[in-house]
Amino acid sequence: EIVLTQSPATLSLSPGERATLSCRASQSVSTYLAWYQQKPGQAPRLLIFDASNRATGIPARFSGSGSGTDFTLTISSLEPEDFAVYYCQHRSNWPLTFGQGTRLEIK
Amino acid sequence: EVQLVESGGGLVQPGGSLRLSCVASGFTFNNYAMSWVRQAPGKGLEWVSSINGGGTSTNFADSVKGRFTISRDNSKNTLSLQMDSLRVDDTAVYYCAKDPGDWSNWFDPWGQGTLVTVSS
């Protein structure tokens, strides 16, 4: 089973700042990595798939990068609605697994 | 607009059974793989099971293998999860999720979830 480790666990930033979230895989997943956003009381929403492709309707301030074992989700300038929990997920093989999440909170 | 509506959650005793359903609309159901993902209270996301568009191929997390069965009725646009031998640690919100393709193994979009509580 591929283990995805996200860091930091919590990130405290202010609106307008740049956010950088990390996801590290225990073995290579090529570019088979996605990012999701989850707000309290809501279902998760797909942001990025295949490491760097934005899903439909996702604003351009969200970008993803990386390959192999190290991946990054960047939010270029935080909007108030971006404060949420973010998860990475791989699809390299079975079982599909998620990282433990990064909570992005308002400073 | 794609809509996924789960139902069937509730309170069940350890060792009991429950059947979840997810009714889909807004897309050609049999063209897309579907999955169940769960989230224990206050915890992260855990993939549970996936089924391809034709219903001929399935996969399960080790934690549910042999206890849960995934199926679909493409004539009724319905995804199901039969959960047997339930354990306390199966307590979670269960989400159904659409695959953007057939076996691309991303989840987009998700339903609103249905809560399963396993407790005596």
Side-chain angles (χ1 to χ4, degrees):
Chain A
E1 170 176 320
I2 295 173
V3 176
L4 299 178
T5 303
Q6 294 186 238
S7 61
T10 302
L11 184 58
S12 299
L13 294 171
S14 301
E17 291 193 292
R18 182 184 187 90
T20 303
L21 288 68
S22 174
C23 177
R24 176 164 289 179
S26 59
Q27 64 189 78
S28 176
V29 298
S30 183
T31 57
Y32 298 142
L33 191 103
W35 291 92
Y36 298 84
Q37 176 193 66
Q38 187 178 32
K39 298 179 182 179
Q42 296 185 16
R45 175 175 71 148
L46 178 67
L47 298 175
I48 301 286
F49 65 94
D50 288 342
S52 61
N53 295 289
R54 273 190 303 277
T56 302
I58 301 303
R61 65 180 181 274
F62 291 91
S63 63
S65 64
S67 66
T69 61
D70 289 300
F71 299 86
T72 301
L73 173 69
T74 301
I75 310 171
S76 59
S77 179
L78 285 165
E79 297 288 340
E81 62 268 26
D82 299 336
F83 292 91
V85 179
Y86 292 83
Y87 295 94
C88 58
Q89 176 236 327
H90 84 86
R91 68 172 184 106
S92 178
N93 57 19
W94 304 102
L96 311 178
T97 58
F98 290 87
Q100 83 280 14
T102 289
R103 179 177 305 276
L104 178 56
E105 65 177 25
I106 299 176
K107 188 173 182 179
Chain B
E1 178 194 4
V2 173
Q3 285 203 319
L4 302 171
V5 180
E6 302 99 331
S7 62
L11 175 63
V12 61
Q13 292 189 337
S17 297
L18 212 55
R19 186 176 183 88
L20 306 183
S21 295
C22 171
V23 176
S25 60
F27 63 102
T28 304
F29 186 65
N30 61 5
N31 285 352
Y32 298 92
M34 298 291 294
S35 297
W36 290 97
V37 179
R38 69 184 181 183
Q39 186 169 36
K43 302 298 184 182
L45 302 170
E46 179 187 17
W47 168 75
V48 173
S49 182
S50 298
I51 185 169
N52 70 338
T56 57
S57 183
T58 61
N59 282 280
F60 296 90
D62 285 347
S63 59
V64 306
K65 201 171 291 183
R67 300 187 299 122
F68 289 11
T69 303
I70 191 171
S71 62
R72 63 192 297 159
D73 184 339
N74 286 342
S75 69
K76 297 181 179 179
N77 287 3
T78 300
L79 173 72
S80 298
L81 185 69
Q82 177 65 39
M83 304 186 295
D84 298 320
S85 303
L86 281 161
R87 308 189 302 220
V88 172
D89 62 358
D90 292 319
T91 295
V93 173
Y94 285 72
Y95 295 101
C96 78
K98 174 184 170 291
D99 191 309
D102 199 8
W103 257 187
S104 68
N105 293 325
W106 304 133
F107 309 117
D108 182 40
W110 303 51
Q112 85 288 350
T114 188
L115 176 62
V116 172
T117 303
V118 185
S119 174
S120 55

